[in-house]
Amino acid sequence: MRLVIVIVFFGFSLISNSQNSKEFEKLIVEGNIALKNGELKKAEEIYLKVLQKDSKNTDVLYNLALVEFHLENRAVLAGYYKNRIN
C-alpha cells in the first residue's frame, strides 16, 4: 500500500514539475521577446519573476543585466556584478 501511495505521489510530482517547467520556459521566451522589441520594463519584470524561481539562471541574469544597462540602472547593474563575483 505504501508503495502505491509513493508511486502516485511521485507521478503527481512529475506532472507538476513538467507544467512548471513549461510555464518557466514560456516566461523566459516572453522576456526575450520583450527585450528584443525594446520593451525594457516588461522584460525586467518578467526576468525578475524567473529569477524568483531560479536565481542562478545565467542566461536570465545576463539578459537582465542588459536590460538594466539599457535602462541606465548602473547601481543595480553593479549590484548584479558584485553578487556574481562573490
Side-chain angles (χ1 to χ4, degrees):
M1 184 66 175
R2 282 186 181 174
L3 181 60
V4 172
I5 293 171
V6 169
I7 290 172
V8 169
F9 179 74
F10 184 71
F12 284 128
S13 177
L14 286 176
I15 291 169
S16 176
N17 285 338
S18 174
Q19 290 172 344
N20 288 339
S21 179
K22 288 179 184 179
E23 291 174 23
F24 184 73
E25 291 296 322
K26 184 179 175 184
L27 271 177
I28 293 173
V29 169
E30 281 183 40
N32 293 345
I33 291 170
L35 176 59
K36 183 178 178 182
N37 291 335
E39 300 171 18
L40 299 175
K41 282 296 198 182
K42 181 178 179 180
E44 179 185 43
E45 290 174 16
I46 293 169
Y47 290 143
L48 288 172
K49 283 182 189 176
V50 171
L51 290 177
Q52 288 176 350
K53 297 178 182 183
D54 180 7
S55 64
K56 298 192 187 273
N57 187 313
T58 55
D59 292 332
V60 172
L61 284 167
Y62 177 81
N63 287 349
L64 184 57
L66 283 176
V67 168
E68 300 302 347
F69 176 80
H70 289 294
L71 289 173
E72 297 184 7
N73 292 336
R74 304 293 192 247
V76 174
L77 186 59
Y80 290 143
Y81 179 73
K82 181 179 177 184
N83 288 336
R84 181 78 172 122
I85 291 175
N86 296 331

